[in-house]
Amino acid sequence: GAGVSQSPSNKVTEKGKDVELRCDPISGHTALYWYRQSLGQGLEFLIYFQGNSAPDKSGLPSDRFSAERTGGSVSTLTIQRTQQEDSAVYLCASSPVGDRSDEQYFGPGTRLTVT
Amino acid sequence: SQKIEQNSEALNIQEGKTATLTCNYTNYSPAYLQWYRQDPGRGPVFLLLIRENEKEKRKERLKVTFDTTLKQSLFHITASQPADSATYLCALGGRRGYQKVTFGIGTKLQVIP
């Protein structure tokens, strides 16, 4: 079946512009995560959605970052007034319910470059 | 604060040998530990999960050990192949119902033919 998809695959934007990154999780997966991966750094947790529960936003680095998940499926990560330090690969992952709910299935990522 | 340490330098081994990667952690009592594989330009791929009450888990040529006293996990690839060359990430998970997972920086493995 189809895996996690993300769009765009690459995004170049000017400092100060807003960007939206999209994630389509695997159908039926109730949990969705956003991470950021910078060169030479580990994956940095940003936000976690689980079903209809309030999201865990504890990893968002500033109030310029926000995310929503509509209808328990597609998620959008928005970065307002982008800064050069926002340049990174943004990864989305989803997890199934049940015994394998701790396994995360990642998308290919969106490479964001802020000039 | 929580800290995960993986071999920061690349690990080079000869084809056919066993590769052993290390993951150490501090200030954490994870409910489980995972290993992922990441190829350049791609997202991580889940390999194995081992829970705090398990000592060892195997899957094909892969073996993971988990020592909660030493706060360490070892990840072994037996009969390594050039196709095993990738970066391997260790990740720690909390209690069920709190799904935030903390990832290590990863170890780059190069299997030389």
Side-chain angles (χ1 to χ4, degrees):
Chain A
V4 176
S5 61
Q6 292 186 245
S7 60
S9 55
N10 282 283
K11 176 72 176 178
V12 180
T13 190
E14 292 180 352
K15 177 182 173 182
K17 301 283 188 182
D18 297 351
V19 295
E20 282 190 356
L21 313 179
R22 177 186 169 108
C23 171
D24 281 88
I26 293 172
S27 177
H29 282 196
T30 59
L32 187 147
Y33 305 75
W34 282 99
Y35 294 89
R36 177 167 71 174
Q37 188 173 35
S38 303
L39 192 62
Q41 304 293 316
L43 273 72
E44 176 188 2
F45 167 81
L46 298 177
I47 189 169
Y48 160 68
F49 296 90
Q50 173 59 277
N52 295 321
S53 303
D56 176 358
K57 303 180 182 181
S58 61
L60 295 178
S62 77
D63 58 9
R64 296 186 296 105
F65 288 72
S66 63
E68 63 178 21
R69 189 178 183 191
T70 54
S73 181
V74 172
S75 177
T76 302
L77 177 69
T78 301
I79 308 174
Q80 296 178 311
R81 304 180 304 281
T82 52
Q83 303 294 312
Q84 287 185 331
E85 60 262 29
D86 298 335
S87 296
V89 175
Y90 289 81
L91 290 158
C92 173
S94 67
S95 294
V97 294
D99 293 344
R100 301 175 66 183
S101 62
D102 295 323
E103 299 175 14
Q104 295 187 39
Y105 295 80
F106 282 83
T110 294
R111 180 174 297 279
L112 175 66
T113 303
V114 182
T115 61
Chain B
S1 62
Q2 300 164 1
K3 189 175 180 181
I4 302 175
E5 292 182 351
Q6 294 188 251
N7 311 64
S8 57
E9 297 182 6
L11 178 64
N12 296 322
I13 64 162
Q14 206 69 33
E15 181 177 5
K17 301 290 187 184
T18 296
T20 298
L21 284 66
T22 304
C23 175
N24 295 296
Y25 59 92
T26 56
N27 299 323
Y28 207 136
S29 295
Y32 61 86
L33 186 146
Q34 300 177 325
W35 285 88
Y36 288 80
R37 168 185 173 139
Q38 186 172 25
D39 291 282
R42 297 183 171 238
V45 174
F46 172 79
L47 296 175
L48 280 168
L49 179 151
I50 186 166
R51 299 202 180 274
E52 60 181 336
N53 60 346
E54 298 174 313
K55 296 293 185 186
E56 180 179 301
K57 185 162 278 189
R58 293 174 185 261
K59 179 183 177 182
E60 298 172 352
R61 295 185 294 111
L62 309 180
K63 185 178 85 170
V64 172
T65 63
F66 192 12
D67 189 326
T68 55
T69 301
L70 291 179
K71 295 186 181 296
Q72 181 182 78
S73 174
L74 299 178
F75 176 78
H76 307 272
I77 305 175
T78 58
S80 59
Q81 304 166 1
D84 296 327
S85 299
T87 296
Y88 292 85
L89 309 176
C90 165
L92 305 182
R95 301 293 156 187
R96 187 164 292 278
Y98 178 66
Q99 296 291 351
K100 181 177 176 179
V101 174
T102 303
F103 282 81
I105 194 171
T107 298
K108 186 174 182 179
L109 173 67
Q110 186 75 33
V111 180
I112 303 165

